[in-house]
Amino acid sequence: MLGAAIGAGEEVVLAAERHNARADITGALLCCSRWFVQVLEGDPVATAKLYESIEKDSRHESVTLIGAREVDQRYFPNWGMCGARLSPADDAILKVLGRQTSFSPPEMTFELARDLLGVVHQVRSLRAVELAKPEV
């Protein structure tokens, strides 16, 4: 389900949050089956260095950069790294975005990956607000 904790990879997300906070990097990570899509934001040198370390990490295979852009403001300013899981049942989200009918990172554009992670950001933010409300 969209927005669920990554589970076994949760320790990776927690470690990334600590590292990224020190390096002033923000972003989001989405997984589905064995695929991952990630957006990294921050100083170009710091994000390039982080990407290089991800690329060299033996736990990863077929690491592919689908885009790098300079932006006026961060898309995920409050997330050192947020992890979420997408299931095949969540393919409707991709249909709503109107660009793809199933989760297939090799076919994703930079814009689709960013928009998909933006939806995850919105869902997680709404869920956090709901959880913070006192019960009546």
Side-chain angles (χ1 to χ4, degrees):
M1 180 173 163
L2 181 64
I6 286 181
E10 197 169 314
E11 66 279 356
V12 173
V13 173
L14 294 173
E17 284 178 333
R18 288 189 299 274
H19 171 271
N20 292 354
R22 289 190 302 273
D24 193 29
I25 293 173
T26 56
L29 173 69
L30 181 65
C31 70
C32 182
S33 301
R34 293 186 33 188
W35 292 103
F36 291 84
V37 174
Q38 184 172 34
V39 170
L40 300 172
E41 303 171 315
D43 174 76
V45 173
T47 55
K49 184 177 177 182
L50 177 56
Y51 178 78
E52 186 178 311
S53 72
I54 291 168
E55 206 172 26
K56 290 179 180 178
D57 188 323
S58 63
R59 295 173 294 178
H60 305 299
E61 58 184 67
S62 303
V63 176
T64 304
L65 181 65
I66 59 172
R69 311 276 193 283
E70 285 194 30
V71 295
D72 293 329
Q73 69 182 53
R74 294 180 188 217
Y75 219 66
F76 310 101
N78 301 318
W79 287 6
M81 184 52 59
C82 179
R85 183 180 299 280
L86 186 71
S87 76
D90 293 315
D91 284 346
I93 294 166
L94 294 162
K95 290 176 187 169
V96 169
L97 291 173
R99 299 191 195 101
Q100 206 168 324
T101 57
S102 63
F103 187 78
S104 179
E107 298 172 16
M108 282 191 173
T109 63
F110 171 83
E111 290 77 13
L112 177 57
R114 183 202 56 216
D115 292 350
L116 180 58
L117 287 162
V119 170
V120 171
H121 179 261
Q122 290 173 356
V123 169
R124 295 295 291 272
S125 297
L126 288 171
R127 189 169 290 151
V129 168
E130 289 173 6
L131 292 174
K133 289 181 183 176
E135 290 188 36
V136 180

